[in-house]
Amino acid sequence: MEPGTVVWRETAQSLLRQKWLILGCILLGLLGASVFALSQTTRWTASSQLVIGPAVPPALVGKLSGSGADKTGPLGMDLPAETQARVMASPTLLKAVVKALGMPDNDQTIQDLAAVTRVKAVTDNAYLVTIDGPTAQQAVDRANAIATIYLTQRNNEAKALITNLAEQAQARSKTAQTQSKSLVNQIDEAVGRGDNQTAAALRDQRVGLATEARQAADDAAAMLKALSAVGAGSQLVTPATTDTATSSPIVARDILVGGILGLVLGFGLALLRSHLTPYILTRDQAARAASAPVMAASEGKRRRFWQRSAPELPQYEITALGAEASGALARRELNPRAFAAGSPGALLVVSASPTPNSAGIALAMAEANARDGRETLLVLADIEGAPVLPHLTGHEGLTDLVMEPAATRAIRARKLFRPGTVADLYVLPPGLNHEETAEAVGPSLVPGIVADLPPGYSVVIHGPASVGRHGITPLAAAVDASVLVVQVGLDKEMDVARLTGALQFAGAPVLGVVLIGASAQDETLGIPLNYKPLDAGTQPTR
């Protein structure tokens, strides 16, 4: 597989293993969206569209001074689109809207209306007015009122300016006519004096005044005539209606969006947890950490994040796991190798962290050996662990041998063996001496006890959890190999790897893993990469 390739199958399995986390995030998203949507006040939104043309009719542009010098038009009213959009949403215009709609005429009402008013310049002369209201009809009335009032005010201002300009033109015409009439007497006087040159100049001046008077009169007439065309290019093209008004929040949509966001959050948390969690979650992770294959696995009974300890398996499931693991080891010929060398075959069953299941699995493996006709000794070396055989809790055992002289310790130990649950099975209990010294020294006596056993014995030792505990190294020195009990979601991959290395160094290599709590979606093989079984003819080095 190329580096960086996304393993979709493994990713899907990882998500399925954390389906409850994902479902919890989805439910959280749905609940949050529901609360948000239902707590919001229902509001309606209406929109109207208007087009604003030039303030001055095209036919009148040439008659107004300065028409080509300013981009805002001859009247200075053709403002940029964004500026006009801001004017439509300004408090000044909204105050007129408030009065027109009969709303309370105060600053708070105007501010509230400005907060829900949105005007957008769609093009250079097209505008979209959007506003919210408590009802559909009120939203429609507000949207249409803003457009209508703005157009009306703009047209009225343009008409007022044109009317003013027309009056100014008429005044210029009258002034020119008055001046022209006054020149008639002056011309007659110049003619009477015989001053023809002055008379000619006055006649030219009178012609200019007459022309100016006619031009001013024509302009005034044109302006007054054009008043009816003011605003012809500006109109409300798409008025708001109750049919097009929309309401919010849309509860169904908001809940759907909340569910989708919860799903995305769940996927993200699940993938993040899968990649960052230090705990073992799959068969392949357990096999990689222990450098040994998974011999037996049970599905379900995973530790949940709210649990502080591993859940206890039913007795029948523990027995099945122990029998399956014992059968897998028998096929690997672990015990025949040891028996052929004339020494008892010994196996250590241990876990990285405390679990109530490892002792039961050790008992089940010892029972399987005894049922095969081999005399089997089960050493319960987890002094502080929960009793796996309650009927032996009141008997002397391993810790009671601490004060026994070395010369008689083996004989005394055999006297402390108690009958197990099946024929040919004997058990060495933890003991009744609970002093700290006895509990610390007790596991170190196991190698001597195992070495003094008669030929043909099969030994299964249940050791204490290795994390933060002592006693694993002496127990490892007493056995030929070991089996790890790994709990999904409880044991960390680094802790299992450390324990595997310590057992390998002490001469008790890990032959296999018993995995508890495997997911039903876990389809990994549980075999380490480039795994090679131990050589059956090679005796472990002590």
Side-chain angles (χ1 to χ4, degrees), residues 496-537:
V496 174
R498 288 196 187 103
L499 178 57
T500 300
L503 293 173
Q504 180 73 27
F505 179 78
V510 177
L511 296 182
V513 175
V514 177
L515 188 65
I516 299 175
S519 173
Q521 288 79 30
D522 182 12
E523 298 181 2
T524 57
L525 297 177
I527 300 177
L529 188 64
N530 301 325
Y531 171 71
K532 294 182 180 179
L534 294 175
D535 187 1

Side-chain angles (χ1 to χ4, degrees), residues 253-540:
R253 180 198 63 188
D254 292 346
I255 293 177
L256 177 61
V257 172
I260 294 174
L261 293 178
L263 178 64
V264 174
L265 176 63
F267 279 175
L269 291 178
L271 293 175
L272 188 65
R273 186 183 178 199
S274 298
H275 287 82
L276 298 183
T277 181
Y279 297 101
I280 291 176
L281 300 176
T282 64
R283 289 179 173 86
D284 277 357
Q285 285 181 313
R288 180 173 63 247
S291 300
V294 176
M295 302 183 300
S298 69
E299 294 183 357
K301 293 292 182 181
R302 294 179 57 193
R303 184 185 76 90
R304 304 303 177 184
F305 67 90
W306 60 83
Q307 296 174 332
R308 299 183 64 87
S309 60
E312 186 174 358
L313 293 178
Q315 185 58 45
Y316 72 89
E317 194 166 352
I318 292 179
T319 302
L321 286 174
E324 185 177 354
S326 180
L329 294 179
R331 290 191 293 272
R332 295 198 58 191
E333 300 181 351
L334 170 65
N335 291 332
R337 178 187 67 186
F339 294 150
S343 61
L347 184 70
L348 174 63
V349 178
V350 67
S351 61
S353 55
T355 171
N357 303 309
S358 59
I361 291 174
L363 174 61
M365 296 181 69
E367 290 175 345
N369 286 341
R371 290 192 187 97
D372 289 342
R374 294 189 294 270
E375 288 187 302
T376 304
L377 173 63
L378 172 62
V379 180
L380 300 178
D382 188 4
I383 309 299
E384 301 178 3
V388 66
L389 295 173
H391 68 278
L392 298 180
T393 55
H395 293 273
E396 292 182 327
L398 185 60
T399 58
D400 299 301
L401 298 175
V402 172
M403 306 306 296
E404 187 71 24
T408 59
R409 185 178 296 140
I411 298 175
R412 174 74 187 285
R414 284 194 291 272
K415 291 181 180 180
L416 298 180
F417 293 172
R418 295 289 180 262
T421 53
V422 297
D424 295 328
L425 174 62
Y426 302 94
V427 181
L428 179 59
L432 300 177
N433 189 352
H434 296 293
E435 296 181 359
E436 293 183 359
T437 302
E439 291 180 352
V441 176
S444 64
L445 304 179
V446 174
I449 296 173
V450 173
D452 290 335
L453 288 175
Y457 257 89
S458 177
V459 180
V460 177
I461 303 174
H462 174 241
S466 66
V467 178
R469 305 283 291 278
H470 302 285
I472 291 297
T473 302
L475 296 177
V479 299
D480 302 301
S482 57
V483 171
L484 292 186
V485 178
V486 177
Q487 175 75 43
V488 171
L490 179 68
D491 292 324
K492 295 182 179 180
E493 189 170 353
M494 185 57 67
D495 292 339
V496 174
R498 288 196 187 103
L499 178 57
T500 300
L503 293 173
Q504 180 73 27
F505 179 78
V510 177
L511 296 182
V513 175
V514 177
L515 188 65
I516 299 175
S519 173
Q521 288 79 30
D522 182 12
E523 298 181 2
T524 57
L525 297 177
I527 300 177
L529 188 64
N530 301 325
Y531 171 71
K532 294 182 180 179
L534 294 175
D535 187 1
T538 303
Q539 191 72 9

Side-chain angles (χ1 to χ4, degrees), residues 47-289:
S47 299
S48 60
Q49 295 185 18
L50 66 155
V51 174
I52 299 177
V56 176
L60 193 61
V61 172
K63 299 183 179 297
L64 299 178
S65 61
S67 60
D70 194 347
K71 294 182 179 180
T72 59
L75 298 181
M77 297 182 62
D78 297 330
L79 301 174
E82 291 295 334
T83 303
Q84 296 201 56
R86 291 178 179 271
V87 171
M88 279 187 269
S90 65
T92 302
L93 183 72
L94 294 180
K95 186 175 183 178
V97 173
V98 168
K99 292 181 179 180
L101 296 178
M103 301 172 64
D105 188 4
N106 53 58
D107 293 340
Q108 185 62 44
T109 303
I110 296 174
Q111 291 177 4
D112 294 340
L113 194 62
V116 296
T117 302
R118 301 170 295 279
V119 180
K120 179 182 178 181
V122 181
T123 63
D124 290 341
N125 58 353
Y127 301 85
L128 178 66
V129 179
T130 305
I131 194 169
D132 299 334
T135 64
Q137 187 60 50
Q138 290 185 13
V140 168
D141 292 342
R142 292 177 180 182
N144 291 334
I146 290 176
T148 303
I149 291 175
Y150 180 73
L151 291 176
T152 302
Q153 288 185 353
R154 188 171 185 272
N155 292 340
N156 291 340
E157 291 177 4
K159 289 179 179 180
L161 290 174
I162 293 175
T163 301
N164 186 28
L165 292 175
E167 291 176 352
Q168 293 177 7
Q170 289 176 345
R172 290 197 306 273
S173 176
K174 290 180 181 180
T175 301
Q177 289 177 358
T178 301
Q179 292 176 353
S180 176
K181 291 179 180 179
S182 65
L183 291 178
V184 173
N185 296 330
Q186 296 180 14
I187 294 173
D188 293 340
E189 293 177 356
V191 171
R193 292 192 306 267
D195 189 357
N196 295 329
Q197 184 176 1
T198 301
L202 291 174
R203 289 190 186 96
D204 292 340
Q205 185 177 357
R206 185 172 179 274
V207 171
L209 289 173
T211 303
E212 180 181 352
R214 283 197 306 272
Q215 183 64 42
D218 292 343
D219 290 344
M223 291 179 189
L224 293 175
K225 184 178 180 181
L227 286 176
S228 60
V230 171
S234 302
Q235 60 180 333
L236 180 60
V237 293
T238 307
T241 62
T242 55
D243 295 335
T244 58
T246 59
S247 64
S248 61
I250 303 177
V251 178
R253 180 198 63 188
D254 292 346
I255 293 177
L256 177 61
V257 172
I260 294 174
L261 293 178
L263 178 64
V264 174
L265 176 63
F267 279 175
L269 291 178
L271 293 175
L272 188 65
R273 186 183 178 199
S274 298
H275 287 82
L276 298 183
T277 181
Y279 297 101
I280 291 176
L281 300 176
T282 64
R283 289 179 173 86
D284 277 357
Q285 285 181 313
R288 180 173 63 247

